[in-house]
Amino acid sequence: MRGLASRAAAQGRSAASSFVRGSSPSVWRLARPVRSASTQPRRAPAPAVTASAAPRDRLAPGGGRRSMADAPANGGGAAASAPPPPDPRLVALRRLMAAADGGVGVAAYIVPTEDPHMSEYPPDTFKRREFISSFTGSAGTALITRDAALLWTDGRYFLQAEAELGPGWTLMRGGTPTCPEARRRRSGPRRPPRRARSTLPAARRRRRAPAPARPQLNDWLAESLPAGSRVGFDPFCHTVESVNKLRARLAEKGLVAVPLLADGNLVDGVWGDARPGLPVAPLRLHEQRWAGQGIAEKLQEVRSKLGGVGADCFLATTLDEVAWLFNLRGSDVPHNPGPPAVGDALRAGGVEVRPYEALVGDVRGRAAGKARIAMDFTKVSYAVYQAAEEAAAAGPRGRKRSASDAVVTPGGAAPGAAVDLSSPIVAAKAIKNAAELEGMREAHLRDAAALSEFLDWLEREIASGRTLSEVEVDTHLTARRAAQPGFIEPSFPTIAGANANGAIIHYRAAEGSCKTVDGSTLLLIDSGGQYDCGTTDITRTLHFGTPTAHQRRCYTRVLQGHIGLSRAVFPEGTPGSAIDALARLPLWADGLNYRHGTGHGVGAALNVHEGPQSISTRYWITTPLQVGMIVSNEPGYYEDGGFGIRVENLLAIVEADTEFRFGGASFMAFDDLTLVPISTRLIDPALLRPEEEAWLDAYHARVWEAVSPRLADKPSALDWLRRNTTPLKEQLAAAGAAGAAVPAAV
């Protein structure tokens, strides 16, 4: 599982944007590696301060992370004990903050994960939040004030952030009742949360002190900084929508948001010469066989959406949109096949290729020439939007307003050149055509063969008494995938978490610090592959010995949730949030839950995290699930310091064959793309209902039928597949005959 969002748009030397207009489209690319993503003249940077990253496993004094109660508001508050030595990176950044904007300075500076293309997984050169905070997770926003350093992230990364943040940082646990997500602000007093019953043995239950309130980032700024304070940000790394929300919230308290365009990104000034350069990777074309549509057909589809909003052209700046639109793939960023460059293939398709550095100037030129430019305010950077609005204000239209004063209502047209339009490319690539679906099915068959060989090897190694490291598990799995035809790279870094590491939802094993795997290990493996025809993402949880009764119960509840969602039938127009509970109900019955979404969209030979669809508790995501979309199904359960469990398949949404069609509506269902046996060793059969056991047996029968021909010349793997796809009762009987402890079915 890689969120959700967010596994993501690639970014790098290929950093590309695209204009679609009535004549030939344009695409902007870098002609050579550069240090900065800026396309505007910027002041000379302050002297660089090179600082090595803080140790990622360092804890605050007393062995813990600072709580929100320790975070100074307005920079105040005296420490109860001697403070740790200041982080030289924060010292240098605060020096640049004081000198920013011509010496006026800013009281706070926001460092998001995103790059100028709003990539979920930016390349190393744009990993500014990681550099300044040492937090390596893919989701999070850092805020640095004169006296405080805070990191907001979601439940997938709480344990990871606690381990990686240095003692000068405060972790803000986003999405929890005490730190609600952006659209979950409530009015009036909030009731304290009720304590849920636990299935843990009484001796393992712990009472925790009530957590102090942890507000959203914008709310924290508004409530913590004095009136008149200035909050700085790099306008190339924030969307139009996010800046408008920030400005509106700060204005309520007399604060000012300041786009620091001329200063450049302040973190780059701290990073200095140690900052990695932009990557270089070759372009490859995505075959028409797997794309299903040519460039011209896709362009026409996008152009058809412009007339309704009165726009002359559409600007796309996220790299997966550009990759899909022009049937390009690359590997500037590992695991995300966005376009690394553009060249002859685009020219042959009637696409004009422009220098990457010319983008902002070209946007200004079109805006000054009275063009109405449609752009998705949730994806385009504020810097590009600001350039269009300023040019329109100063151009032939004669507007006197300043773009920096505009707060645009989401979904409505801006008063100047920019028109807010939900990206038609995002919607189009989310619904796969027949060729894309065929490619995804083929990718999953190749992946299933690789996984079967790998799991056969792993089981034999553990049975022989060998102890493996998590890194060895990762390496061998990748090697099995690499042997498959059309394999390009993993679709994201493999998560091989043994015991407690499995509870770190986006864990990455490293030599020297990873755990070992043996017959007593509960092992979570979340992995995927990028193939020339499609993208895979699969999680299996394994145990090669005798799991505890508690582990069996938790695993069975997760599996029941997985089956419940997979069996769902729902009417057209249903958003993912309406069925998310189907995967959680068995866990809720035991007082258990998980802190991540149940399903994310997946691209066709593109990003492993793709929108706009989602299956989660984020009820404000109202995009209906539609036939042709692909989503993950990945409920889980995690015990901090104990173990992690997750079962994940990718699903294609298909039309359901229902007896009736109430109100003339069509109904939809899920079809499993992932075809790898689900481990039965952890199942407590007494908890399974007959229909759930029937689903599991039918799934395994389908796996055998589809995958066994691909293992005809691999006798050991074929035998493993046969043993692990027999009906559940036969597997349990075989395990009992072999001497394994198996709970009795009722």
Side-chain angles (χ1 to χ4, degrees):
M1 173 199 72
R2 296 291 286 170
L4 291 288
S6 63
R7 233 157 274 232
Q11 157 69 36
R13 169 186 166 88
S14 65
S17 300
S18 175
F19 255 141
V20 178
R21 58 187 189 277
S23 57
S24 62
S26 301
V27 64
W28 285 259
R29 63 173 287 266
L30 288 175
R32 57 189 179 278
V34 296
R35 276 287 177 194
S36 171
S38 170
T39 55
Q40 289 289 296
R42 294 183 170 182
R43 294 193 184 114
V49 177
T50 302
S52 59
R56 290 175 178 165
D57 58 351
R58 184 172 55 185
L59 294 176
R65 199 65 46 205
R66 293 179 65 196
S67 71
M68 183 57 210
D70 300 320
N74 295 338
S81 60
D87 186 326
R89 293 167 296 181
L90 294 178
V91 171
L93 181 60
R94 287 169 176 141
R95 186 181 305 126
L96 295 176
M97 289 165 54
D101 201 23
V104 179
V106 293
Y109 189 68
I110 304 172
V111 185
T113 299
E114 290 79 9
D115 61 15
H117 297 269
M118 305 307 144
S119 305
E120 182 182 5
Y121 298 98
D124 290 344
T125 191
F126 292 123
K127 291 182 178 178
R128 293 160 172 140
R129 188 224 62 217
E130 178 178 326
F131 167 77
I132 202 66
S133 70
S134 295
F135 170 62
T136 62
S138 64
T141 302
L143 174 68
I144 297 90
T145 69
R146 295 187 179 104
D147 304 278
L150 305 97
L151 177 88
W152 276 260
T153 191
D154 63 61
R156 295 171 295 168
Y157 299 99
F158 290 166
L159 293 178
Q160 181 177 344
E162 287 173 355
E164 293 179 342
L165 291 176
W169 286 83
T170 297
L171 173 60
M172 307 295 283
R173 296 172 177 260
T176 61
T178 52
C179 187
E181 297 191 52
R183 304 196 188 190
R184 299 180 68 183
R185 290 177 59 200
R186 303 173 183 174
S187 59
R190 184 176 291 147
R191 294 181 179 180
R194 295 178 59 189
R195 184 177 300 277
R197 293 184 302 165
S198 173
T199 61
L200 290 173
R204 297 180 60 189
R205 301 179 193 172
R206 294 182 299 169
R207 283 194 172 272
R208 299 177 182 234
R214 289 171 169 82
Q216 262 284 328
L217 186 147
N218 290 358
D219 295 331
W220 190 94
L221 286 166
E223 300 298 332
S224 302
L225 299 181
S229 294
R230 294 157 51 85
V231 178
F233 63 93
D234 181 348
F236 278 98
C237 298
H238 295 258
T239 66
V240 180
E241 181 186 66
S242 68
V243 172
N244 287 338
K245 289 181 177 179
L246 174 67
R247 281 190 157 156
R249 183 69 177 100
L250 296 187
E252 295 174 8
K253 297 292 184 176
L255 279 66
V256 181
V258 183
L260 298 176
L261 183 65
D263 293 86
N265 192 288
L266 300 188
V267 175
D268 294 349
V270 179
W271 214 339
D273 292 337
R275 181 186 174 202
L278 286 162
V280 178
L283 168 72
R284 64 181 175 86
L285 298 176
H286 188 49
E287 293 182 49
Q288 179 84 12
R289 172 188 176 188
W290 305 121
Q293 288 179 293
I295 294 175
E297 187 177 354
K298 291 182 177 181
L299 288 172
Q300 184 57 41
E301 186 175 349
V302 174
R303 288 181 178 125
S304 68
K305 309 294 183 182
L306 301 182
V309 294
D312 303 299
C313 54
F314 176 74
L315 176 64
T317 58
T318 65
L319 299 184
D320 60 327
E321 291 181 80
V322 177
W324 181 87
L325 185 64
F326 296 125
N327 289 339
L328 297 171
R329 299 295 187 270
S331 55
D332 268 19
V333 179
H335 324 300
N336 297 278
V342 287
D344 293 341
L346 291 177
R347 296 186 186 93
V351 179
E352 178 185 1
V353 179
R354 299 276 297 151
Y356 181 70
E357 296 84 354
L359 171 63
V360 172
D362 287 349
V363 168
R364 287 182 180 275
R366 293 186 187 280
K370 301 184 179 181
R372 297 279 285 171
I373 305 172
M375 58 181 73
D376 191 329
F377 285 6
T378 68
K379 297 181 178 298
V380 173
S381 75
Y382 185 79
V384 174
Y385 161 81
Q386 187 178 36
E389 291 297 278
E390 288 178 346
R397 298 182 185 185
R399 292 187 179 86
K400 297 181 180 180
R401 55 180 293 279
S402 170
S404 61
D405 295 329
V407 175
V408 182
T409 302
V419 180
D420 187 11
L421 174 66
S422 293
S423 175
I425 300 175
V426 169
K429 70 183 176 66
I431 301 175
K432 277 57 179 176
N433 58 43
E436 290 172 322
L437 287 171
E438 179 188 352
M440 291 292 281
R441 295 185 190 282
E442 172 62 26
H444 280 81
L445 287 171
R446 298 177 192 175
D447 214 50
L451 265 292
S452 296
E453 290 188 65
F454 162 74
L455 291 170
D456 170 46
W457 168 84
L458 181 60
E459 190 173 291
R460 286 186 286 106
E461 290 293 298
I462 298 300
S464 71
R466 187 178 172 197
T467 297
L468 304 170
S469 72
E470 294 168 332
V471 171
E472 287 180 282
V473 171
D474 180 352
T475 301
H476 198 89
L477 173 55
T478 301
R480 292 294 184 178
R481 279 197 170 102
Q484 289 295 315
F487 177 79
I488 297 168
E489 62 183 340
S491 55
F492 56 91
T494 296
I495 301 166
N499 295 330
N501 285 344
I504 303 173
I505 298 174
H506 280 180
Y507 171 73
R508 179 72 190 274
E511 290 282 7
S513 63
C514 64
K515 290 184 180 295
T516 57
V517 179
D518 58 25
S520 65
T521 303
L522 196 155
L523 177 65
L524 184 154
I525 305 177
D526 186 351
S527 65
Q530 289 287 6
Y531 297 86
D532 58 356
C533 54
T535 303
T536 70
D537 182 2
I538 173 177
T539 307
R540 291 294 183 262
T541 304
L542 313 166
H543 201 298
F544 302 103
T546 304
T548 67
H550 178 61
Q551 289 172 336
R552 289 184 188 277
R553 186 179 187 90
C554 294
Y555 178 86
T556 306
R557 292 310 191 199
V558 169
L559 177 58
Q560 288 176 304
H562 179 93
I563 294 172
L565 183 62
S566 184
R567 297 177 64 232
V569 176
F570 48 95
E572 60 181 318
T574 300
S577 59
I579 60 174
D580 176 83
L582 297 177
R584 299 180 191 266
L585 284 172
L587 288 158
W588 287 352
D590 277 357
L592 306 177
N593 206 347
Y594 50 95
R595 291 193 185 105
H596 58 72
T598 299
H600 57 83
V602 180
L606 260 176
N607 298 345
V608 77
H609 281 171
E610 178 180 87
Q613 73 274 25
S614 168
I615 302 177
S616 72
T617 56
R618 297 180 177 182
Y619 57 83
W620 56 87
I621 299 178
T622 58
T623 301
L625 300 176
Q626 300 180 59
V627 172
M629 286 182 170
I630 293 174
V631 294
S632 65
N633 173 9
E634 49 184 307
Y637 174 67
Y638 314 90
E639 284 192 7
D640 297 358
F643 59 85
I645 295 168
R646 188 162 61 249
V647 178
E648 176 187 16
N649 282 3
L650 295 191
L651 312 173
I653 301 176
V654 298
E655 188 169 352
D657 183 16
T658 56
E659 184 174 356
F660 305 102
R661 289 184 175 233
F662 179 78
S666 62
F667 284 72
M668 292 172 285
F670 293 119
D671 180 37
D672 284 277
L673 296 176
T674 305
L675 296 172
V676 175
I678 295 171
S679 176
T680 60
R681 192 183 295 256
L682 279 152
I683 291 176
D684 182 345
L687 298 178
L688 280 185
R689 294 195 291 266
E691 63 270 23
E692 293 167 339
E693 182 177 340
W695 180 94
L696 187 62
D697 288 346
Y699 174 75
H700 280 154
R702 180 183 172 193
V703 170
W704 169 257
E705 181 179 359
V707 180
S708 58
R710 306 220 171 198
L711 297 173
D713 60 343
K714 309 284 185 182
S716 181
L718 184 63
D719 183 61
W720 178 90
L721 185 69
R722 180 183 293 106
R723 287 185 281 107
N724 285 274
T725 54
T726 57
L728 177 62
K729 285 184 172 61
E730 293 182 24
Q731 292 195 47
L732 295 178
V742 179
V746 294

